[in-house]
Amino acid sequence: VPNCDIELSHVTFAYNQEDVIKDVSCKIPQGSVTALVGPSGSGKSTISKLIARFWDVESGSIAIGGTDIRDYTARTLMDTVAFVFQDTYIFAESVYDNIAMHRDVSREAVEQAAKAARCHEFILSLPDGYNTRLGDGGHKLSGGETQRIAIARAILKDAPIVVLDEAMAFADAENELALREGMAELLQGKTVLMIAHRLYSIRDADCIYVLDSGRLAESGTHQELLDKNGLYAHLWAIQNETEVWQMKGGVSHA
Ligand code: ADP
């Protein structure tokens, strides 16, 4: 892959008959952090899955480094893009194998990734450390631990593009700081696409694309979008109300 610019050009896609992505065009420049936001069901996850070629676009195209992703081998695409948090799967294997994923890597590299993902310490505290078996019949990880293993896996994989679905990223706030730190390590120097369900985490994105029922409604930085007073500003206002309401309602933010 020559570079990691991602470009969607007039992308349309339907699961069944009805289009859920409608003529979407956008650019994600190499090295930038781009966020995709929009109401639930607006097509955010679908776009991230189209980039991974879970499905192919119906019309239009998606290119990475100027080449249509349909022209890359599955292997190249897999090595180029890391997906984090979408259905993180823990295999019935050791912690070590769950991070290394049977790739030809050194023990040092695996531990280094685990340290960067802030999970080395909790792994050492497990009954058999890195050899502790996970999954069915094995040691059960908490939600936050699972997420950090997913980050370690992605750090080790070191793909130049990271697509992050934060749906569950902070779903349980346990060790949120460790999770944020690990994520920062993962995203450093990468081309990042964040599928954001909470707007707080993407305020600093270089560009935010706002989807509405499968169409691109608007784009810009956080401030530009607030100034436009459109859908994003509306979602932002709703979110703030909800958070205030939750705090008043006594939901623990401690
Ligand atoms: P978002 O991530 O913004 O919540 P999605 O991309 O998950 O939105 O969904 C967009 C639309 O596609 C929704 O109407 C959803 O119901 C539909 N959809 C998502 N996944 C599937 C699927 N596997 N089969 C059929 N319809 C789907």
Side-chain angles (χ1 to χ4, degrees), residues 15-16 20 39-46 55 197:
Y15 286 103
N16 302 310
V20 295
S40 173
S42 58
K44 304 182 292 292
S45 301
T46 300
W55 298 286
H197 302 265

Side-chain angles (χ1 to χ4, degrees), residues 6-14 19-28 34-37 41-48 50-51 57-63 70 193 195 208-219:
I6 307 171
E7 180 159 14
L8 277 70
S9 160
H10 301 288
V11 170
T12 296
F13 176 77
D19 288 345
V20 295
I21 302 298
K22 302 162 190 163
D23 196 30
V24 168
S25 297
C26 64
K27 279 186 190 168
I28 301 161
T34 300
L36 213 49
V37 308
S42 58
K44 304 182 292 292
S45 301
T46 300
I47 286 184
S48 73
L50 289 172
I51 294 172
V57 299
E58 206 166 78
S59 63
S61 64
I62 298 177
R70 287 169 288 197
L193 179 61
I195 311 297
I208 301 168
Y209 286 101
V210 186
L211 280 176
D212 187 15
S213 308
R215 283 190 195 283
L216 208 54
E218 50 188 9
S219 65

